Amino acid sequence: DYHHQQISPPGRIERVIDFLKERIHHLEWEAMSRHLPVPPPVPVEDIVHAASDYIDGDVGGEALLTLGLPLHNWRKGEISAAVNVGPLECMPTRIAESQFSHAAEQEGLSTLTLTFNGDPLAEDVLDNFAFQVHRDWLSSCACEGAGTQMNE
């Protein structure tokens, strides 16, 4: 099929493209990690696997990635919460938002979804979320400390 050949490059070119994408992704991470505590890059297969508890692979696309990466990092203890940002009425953002609510119930991952239509964001929305995540983190540290003291 001629149309399919134009969309999917032959094997060798596809490998070069994949290599370049991975290299660019790694360089981006290195640049950010010098200034921010950013978790290391995660293979796409691991991201999709993390999302598979909530989204069927047939949905595909950005919704899987939007949900899967925070779940993967949450399960490894690398993040305390996630902020899902997207355009107003964006279907992948909406799918991820609905599944984040299930992840919050089942796994305790706090999330905030922000959708934009060009209007400015009310500052208190993000501030309140950050303060709540910080309070939750302090509470979990206090509980862990109390558990350690009780076991001694």
Side-chain angles (χ1 to χ4, degrees), residues 126-150:
L126 192 55
D127 287 346
N128 290 339
F129 180 70
F131 286 125
Q132 181 61 48
V133 169
H134 185 69
R135 272 194 303 270
D136 293 347
W137 180 78
L138 288 174
S139 295
S140 70
C141 289
C143 289
E144 289 173 8
T148 304
Q149 291 173 356
M150 289 173 44

PDB file of all heavy atoms in Angstrom, residues 126-150:
ATOM      1  N   LEU A 126      -3.922  26.894  41.638  1.00  0.00           N
ATOM      2  CA  LEU A 126      -2.657  26.167  41.708  1.00  0.00           C
ATOM      3  C   LEU A 126      -2.031  26.291  43.097  1.00  0.00           C
ATOM      4  O   LEU A 126      -1.498  25.320  43.630  1.00  0.00           O
ATOM      5  CB  LEU A 126      -1.697  26.657  40.630  1.00  0.00           C
ATOM      6  CG  LEU A 126      -0.451  25.826  40.385  1.00  0.00           C
ATOM      7  CD1 LEU A 126      -0.800  24.379  40.078  1.00  0.00           C
ATOM      8  CD2 LEU A 126       0.356  26.417  39.239  1.00  0.00           C
ATOM      9  N   ASP A 127      -2.122  27.472  43.696  1.00  0.00           N
ATOM     10  CA  ASP A 127      -1.589  27.668  45.054  1.00  0.00           C
ATOM     11  C   ASP A 127      -2.265  26.742  46.055  1.00  0.00           C
ATOM     12  O   ASP A 127      -1.590  26.083  46.863  1.00  0.00           O
ATOM     13  CB  ASP A 127      -1.780  29.119  45.511  1.00  0.00           C
ATOM     14  CG  ASP A 127      -0.843  30.090  44.812  1.00  0.00           C
ATOM     15  OD1 ASP A 127       0.129  29.624  44.183  1.00  0.00           O
ATOM     16  OD2 ASP A 127      -1.104  31.299  44.901  1.00  0.00           O
ATOM     17  N   ASN A 128      -3.592  26.671  46.017  1.00  0.00           N
ATOM     18  CA  ASN A 128      -4.324  25.813  46.951  1.00  0.00           C
ATOM     19  C   ASN A 128      -3.948  24.347  46.770  1.00  0.00           C
ATOM     20  O   ASN A 128      -3.797  23.610  47.742  1.00  0.00           O
ATOM     21  CB  ASN A 128      -5.830  25.998  46.789  1.00  0.00           C
ATOM     22  CG  ASN A 128      -6.306  27.345  47.276  1.00  0.00           C
ATOM     23  OD1 ASN A 128      -5.635  28.008  48.066  1.00  0.00           O
ATOM     24  ND2 ASN A 128      -7.467  27.765  46.796  1.00  0.00           N
ATOM     25  N   PHE A 129      -3.784  23.929  45.518  1.00  0.00           N
ATOM     26  CA  PHE A 129      -3.387  22.543  45.261  1.00  0.00           C
ATOM     27  C   PHE A 129      -1.992  22.280  45.822  1.00  0.00           C
ATOM     28  O   PHE A 129      -1.760  21.263  46.494  1.00  0.00           O
ATOM     29  CB  PHE A 129      -3.431  22.244  43.759  1.00  0.00           C
ATOM     30  CG  PHE A 129      -3.043  20.836  43.414  1.00  0.00           C
ATOM     31  CD1 PHE A 129      -3.860  19.768  43.743  1.00  0.00           C
ATOM     32  CD2 PHE A 129      -1.854  20.572  42.757  1.00  0.00           C
ATOM     33  CE1 PHE A 129      -3.501  18.469  43.426  1.00  0.00           C
ATOM     34  CE2 PHE A 129      -1.487  19.282  42.433  1.00  0.00           C
ATOM     35  CZ  PHE A 129      -2.318  18.220  42.769  1.00  0.00           C
ATOM     36  N   ALA A 130      -1.071  23.192  45.577  1.00  0.00           N
ATOM     37  CA  ALA A 130       0.302  23.012  46.073  1.00  0.00           C
ATOM     38  C   ALA A 130       0.328  22.952  47.599  1.00  0.00           C
ATOM     39  O   ALA A 130       1.026  22.114  48.184  1.00  0.00           O
ATOM     40  CB  ALA A 130       1.192  24.145  45.578  1.00  0.00           C
ATOM     41  N   PHE A 131      -0.435  23.820  48.263  1.00  0.00           N
ATOM     42  CA  PHE A 131      -0.484  23.793  49.728  1.00  0.00           C
ATOM     43  C   PHE A 131      -1.089  22.490  50.238  1.00  0.00           C
ATOM     44  O   PHE A 131      -0.630  21.925  51.234  1.00  0.00           O
ATOM     45  CB  PHE A 131      -1.259  24.994  50.274  1.00  0.00           C
ATOM     46  CG  PHE A 131      -0.498  26.280  50.188  1.00  0.00           C
ATOM     47  CD1 PHE A 131      -1.043  27.377  49.544  1.00  0.00           C
ATOM     48  CD2 PHE A 131       0.776  26.398  50.737  1.00  0.00           C
ATOM     49  CE1 PHE A 131      -0.343  28.571  49.455  1.00  0.00           C
ATOM     50  CE2 PHE A 131       1.484  27.591  50.656  1.00  0.00           C
ATOM     51  CZ  PHE A 131       0.921  28.679  50.011  1.00  0.00           C
ATOM     52  N   GLN A 132      -2.122  21.975  49.554  1.00  0.00           N
ATOM     53  CA  GLN A 132      -2.737  20.712  49.966  1.00  0.00           C
ATOM     54  C   GLN A 132      -1.752  19.548  49.808  1.00  0.00           C
ATOM     55  O   GLN A 132      -1.627  18.700  50.690  1.00  0.00           O
ATOM     56  CB  GLN A 132      -4.004  20.438  49.159  1.00  0.00           C
ATOM     57  CG  GLN A 132      -4.705  19.153  49.550  1.00  0.00           C
ATOM     58  CD  GLN A 132      -5.165  19.148  50.989  1.00  0.00           C
ATOM     59  OE1 GLN A 132      -5.777  20.102  51.448  1.00  0.00           O
ATOM     60  NE2 GLN A 132      -4.865  18.087  51.729  1.00  0.00           N
ATOM     61  N   VAL A 133      -1.026  19.522  48.703  1.00  0.00           N
ATOM     62  CA  VAL A 133      -0.033  18.463  48.479  1.00  0.00           C
ATOM     63  C   VAL A 133       1.054  18.544  49.546  1.00  0.00           C
ATOM     64  O   VAL A 133       1.477  17.521  50.097  1.00  0.00           O
ATOM     65  CB  VAL A 133       0.569  18.563  47.052  1.00  0.00           C
ATOM     66  CG1 VAL A 133       1.770  17.650  46.897  1.00  0.00           C
ATOM     67  CG2 VAL A 133      -0.491  18.248  46.012  1.00  0.00           C
ATOM     68  N   HIS A 134       1.477  19.753  49.865  1.00  0.00           N
ATOM     69  CA  HIS A 134       2.499  19.924  50.891  1.00  0.00           C
ATOM     70  C   HIS A 134       1.987  19.455  52.259  1.00  0.00           C
ATOM     71  O   HIS A 134       2.702  18.753  52.986  1.00  0.00           O
ATOM     72  CB  HIS A 134       2.937  21.392  50.954  1.00  0.00           C
ATOM     73  CG  HIS A 134       4.066  21.637  51.898  1.00  0.00           C
ATOM     74  ND1 HIS A 134       5.341  21.171  51.665  1.00  0.00           N
ATOM     75  CD2 HIS A 134       4.113  22.274  53.088  1.00  0.00           C
ATOM     76  CE1 HIS A 134       6.130  21.522  52.656  1.00  0.00           C
ATOM     77  NE2 HIS A 134       5.411  22.190  53.545  1.00  0.00           N
ATOM     78  N   ARG A 135       0.747  19.800  52.604  1.00  0.00           N
ATOM     79  CA  ARG A 135       0.156  19.329  53.867  1.00  0.00           C
ATOM     80  C   ARG A 135       0.091  17.800  53.910  1.00  0.00           C
ATOM     81  O   ARG A 135       0.408  17.183  54.918  1.00  0.00           O
ATOM     82  CB  ARG A 135      -1.248  19.908  54.059  1.00  0.00           C
ATOM     83  CG  ARG A 135      -1.275  21.238  54.757  1.00  0.00           C
ATOM     84  CD  ARG A 135      -2.683  21.594  55.223  1.00  0.00           C
ATOM     85  NE  ARG A 135      -3.653  21.615  54.140  1.00  0.00           N
ATOM     86  CZ  ARG A 135      -3.946  22.692  53.412  1.00  0.00           C
ATOM     87  NH1 ARG A 135      -3.335  23.832  53.623  1.00  0.00           N
ATOM     88  NH2 ARG A 135      -4.848  22.621  52.449  1.00  0.00           N
ATOM     89  N   ASP A 136      -0.336  17.205  52.793  1.00  0.00           N
ATOM     90  CA  ASP A 136      -0.409  15.741  52.730  1.00  0.00           C
ATOM     91  C   ASP A 136       0.971  15.123  52.904  1.00  0.00           C
ATOM     92  O   ASP A 136       1.130  14.110  53.590  1.00  0.00           O
ATOM     93  CB  ASP A 136      -1.010  15.286  51.397  1.00  0.00           C
ATOM     94  CG  ASP A 136      -2.478  15.667  51.250  1.00  0.00           C
ATOM     95  OD1 ASP A 136      -3.111  16.055  52.255  1.00  0.00           O
ATOM     96  OD2 ASP A 136      -2.977  15.581  50.105  1.00  0.00           O
ATOM     97  N   TRP A 137       1.970  15.730  52.287  1.00  0.00           N
ATOM     98  CA  TRP A 137       3.337  15.226  52.394  1.00  0.00           C
ATOM     99  C   TRP A 137       3.832  15.331  53.833  1.00  0.00           C
ATOM    100  O   TRP A 137       4.425  14.396  54.365  1.00  0.00           O
ATOM    101  CB  TRP A 137       4.249  15.995  51.452  1.00  0.00           C
ATOM    102  CG  TRP A 137       5.669  15.542  51.509  1.00  0.00           C
ATOM    103  CD1 TRP A 137       6.204  14.421  50.932  1.00  0.00           C
ATOM    104  CD2 TRP A 137       6.737  16.190  52.202  1.00  0.00           C
ATOM    105  NE1 TRP A 137       7.540  14.334  51.218  1.00  0.00           N
ATOM    106  CE2 TRP A 137       7.895  15.417  52.000  1.00  0.00           C
ATOM    107  CE3 TRP A 137       6.828  17.342  52.957  1.00  0.00           C
ATOM    108  CZ2 TRP A 137       9.121  15.750  52.539  1.00  0.00           C
ATOM    109  CZ3 TRP A 137       8.061  17.689  53.491  1.00  0.00           C
ATOM    110  CH2 TRP A 137       9.190  16.892  53.280  1.00  0.00           C
ATOM    111  N   LEU A 138       3.575  16.480  54.485  1.00  0.00           N
ATOM    112  CA  LEU A 138       3.970  16.636  55.882  1.00  0.00           C
ATOM    113  C   LEU A 138       3.275  15.613  56.771  1.00  0.00           C
ATOM    114  O   LEU A 138       3.893  15.039  57.675  1.00  0.00           O
ATOM    115  CB  LEU A 138       3.667  18.049  56.384  1.00  0.00           C
ATOM    116  CG  LEU A 138       4.556  19.163  55.843  1.00  0.00           C
ATOM    117  CD1 LEU A 138       4.041  20.525  56.314  1.00  0.00           C
ATOM    118  CD2 LEU A 138       6.001  18.968  56.251  1.00  0.00           C
ATOM    119  N   SER A 139       1.993  15.360  56.518  1.00  0.00           N
ATOM    120  CA  SER A 139       1.253  14.362  57.294  1.00  0.00           C
ATOM    121  C   SER A 139       1.838  12.972  57.114  1.00  0.00           C
ATOM    122  O   SER A 139       1.964  12.211  58.071  1.00  0.00           O
ATOM    123  CB  SER A 139      -0.216  14.342  56.878  1.00  0.00           C
ATOM    124  OG  SER A 139      -0.830  15.550  57.191  1.00  0.00           O
ATOM    125  N   SER A 140       2.210  12.637  55.876  1.00  0.00           N
ATOM    126  CA  SER A 140       2.780  11.305  55.638  1.00  0.00           C
ATOM    127  C   SER A 140       4.141  11.177  56.306  1.00  0.00           C
ATOM    128  O   SER A 140       4.484  10.117  56.828  1.00  0.00           O
ATOM    129  CB  SER A 140       2.878  11.004  54.145  1.00  0.00           C
ATOM    130  OG  SER A 140       3.873  11.793  53.529  1.00  0.00           O
ATOM    131  N   CYS A 141       4.920  12.259  56.328  1.00  0.00           N
ATOM    132  CA  CYS A 141       6.220  12.230  57.016  1.00  0.00           C
ATOM    133  C   CYS A 141       6.021  12.061  58.516  1.00  0.00           C
ATOM    134  O   CYS A 141       6.753  11.318  59.167  1.00  0.00           O
ATOM    135  CB  CYS A 141       6.999  13.518  56.743  1.00  0.00           C
ATOM    136  SG  CYS A 141       7.598  13.650  55.059  1.00  0.00           S
ATOM    137  N   ALA A 142       5.039  12.746  59.076  1.00  0.00           N
ATOM    138  CA  ALA A 142       4.757  12.645  60.511  1.00  0.00           C
ATOM    139  C   ALA A 142       4.313  11.232  60.867  1.00  0.00           C
ATOM    140  O   ALA A 142       4.731  10.674  61.887  1.00  0.00           O
ATOM    141  CB  ALA A 142       3.693  13.662  60.917  1.00  0.00           C
ATOM    142  N   CYS A 143       3.487  10.638  59.998  1.00  0.00           N
ATOM    143  CA  CYS A 143       3.011   9.275  60.259  1.00  0.00           C
ATOM    144  C   CYS A 143       4.157   8.275  60.177  1.00  0.00           C
ATOM    145  O   CYS A 143       4.251   7.363  60.993  1.00  0.00           O
ATOM    146  CB  CYS A 143       1.925   8.881  59.264  1.00  0.00           C
ATOM    147  SG  CYS A 143       0.373   9.743  59.541  1.00  0.00           S
ATOM    148  N   GLU A 144       5.039   8.445  59.189  1.00  0.00           N
ATOM    149  CA  GLU A 144       6.174   7.543  59.057  1.00  0.00           C
ATOM    150  C   GLU A 144       7.095   7.668  60.261  1.00  0.00           C
ATOM    151  O   GLU A 144       7.605   6.684  60.779  1.00  0.00           O
ATOM    152  CB  GLU A 144       6.941   7.826  57.765  1.00  0.00           C
ATOM    153  CG  GLU A 144       6.188   7.411  56.524  1.00  0.00           C
ATOM    154  CD  GLU A 144       6.878   7.835  55.238  1.00  0.00           C
ATOM    155  OE1 GLU A 144       8.034   8.320  55.295  1.00  0.00           O
ATOM    156  OE2 GLU A 144       6.264   7.685  54.188  1.00  0.00           O
ATOM    157  N   GLY A 145       7.311   8.895  60.718  1.00  0.00           N
ATOM    158  CA  GLY A 145       8.154   9.124  61.894  1.00  0.00           C
ATOM    159  C   GLY A 145       7.556   8.519  63.133  1.00  0.00           C
ATOM    160  O   GLY A 145       8.242   7.911  63.952  1.00  0.00           O
ATOM    161  N   ALA A 146       6.228   8.648  63.301  1.00  0.00           N
ATOM    162  CA  ALA A 146       5.552   8.071  64.459  1.00  0.00           C
ATOM    163  C   ALA A 146       5.637   6.548  64.425  1.00  0.00           C
ATOM    164  O   ALA A 146       5.859   5.907  65.458  1.00  0.00           O
ATOM    165  CB  ALA A 146       4.088   8.524  64.497  1.00  0.00           C
ATOM    166  N   GLY A 147       5.490   5.984  63.234  1.00  0.00           N
ATOM    167  CA  GLY A 147       5.577   4.523  63.108  1.00  0.00           C
ATOM    168  C   GLY A 147       6.958   4.023  63.454  1.00  0.00           C
ATOM    169  O   GLY A 147       7.138   2.985  64.087  1.00  0.00           O
ATOM    170  N   THR A 148       8.000   4.771  63.075  1.00  0.00           N
ATOM    171  CA  THR A 148       9.372   4.395  63.375  1.00  0.00           C
ATOM    172  C   THR A 148       9.613   4.454  64.877  1.00  0.00           C
ATOM    173  O   THR A 148      10.213   3.572  65.453  1.00  0.00           O
ATOM    174  CB  THR A 148      10.366   5.324  62.642  1.00  0.00           C
ATOM    175  OG1 THR A 148      10.090   5.277  61.250  1.00  0.00           O
ATOM    176  CG2 THR A 148      11.785   4.908  62.896  1.00  0.00           C
ATOM    177  N   GLN A 149       9.101   5.508  65.515  1.00  0.00           N
ATOM    178  CA  GLN A 149       9.298   5.651  66.961  1.00  0.00           C
ATOM    179  C   GLN A 149       8.574   4.542  67.719  1.00  0.00           C
ATOM    180  O   GLN A 149       9.062   4.032  68.705  1.00  0.00           O
ATOM    181  CB  GLN A 149       8.794   7.016  67.425  1.00  0.00           C
ATOM    182  CG  GLN A 149       9.644   8.151  66.924  1.00  0.00           C
ATOM    183  CD  GLN A 149       9.022   9.498  67.256  1.00  0.00           C
ATOM    184  OE1 GLN A 149       7.923   9.579  67.795  1.00  0.00           O
ATOM    185  NE2 GLN A 149       9.736  10.572  66.935  1.00  0.00           N
ATOM    186  N   MET A 150       7.398   4.165  67.231  1.00  0.00           N
ATOM    187  CA  MET A 150       6.636   3.116  67.917  1.00  0.00           C
ATOM    188  C   MET A 150       7.315   1.758  67.797  1.00  0.00           C
ATOM    189  O   MET A 150       7.212   0.925  68.672  1.00  0.00           O
ATOM    190  CB  MET A 150       5.210   3.046  67.351  1.00  0.00           C
ATOM    191  CG  MET A 150       4.373   4.254  67.750  1.00  0.00           C
ATOM    192  SD  MET A 150       2.759   4.343  66.955  1.00  0.00           S
ATOM    193  CE  MET A 150       2.133   2.704  67.059  1.00  0.00           C
TER     194      MET A 150
END
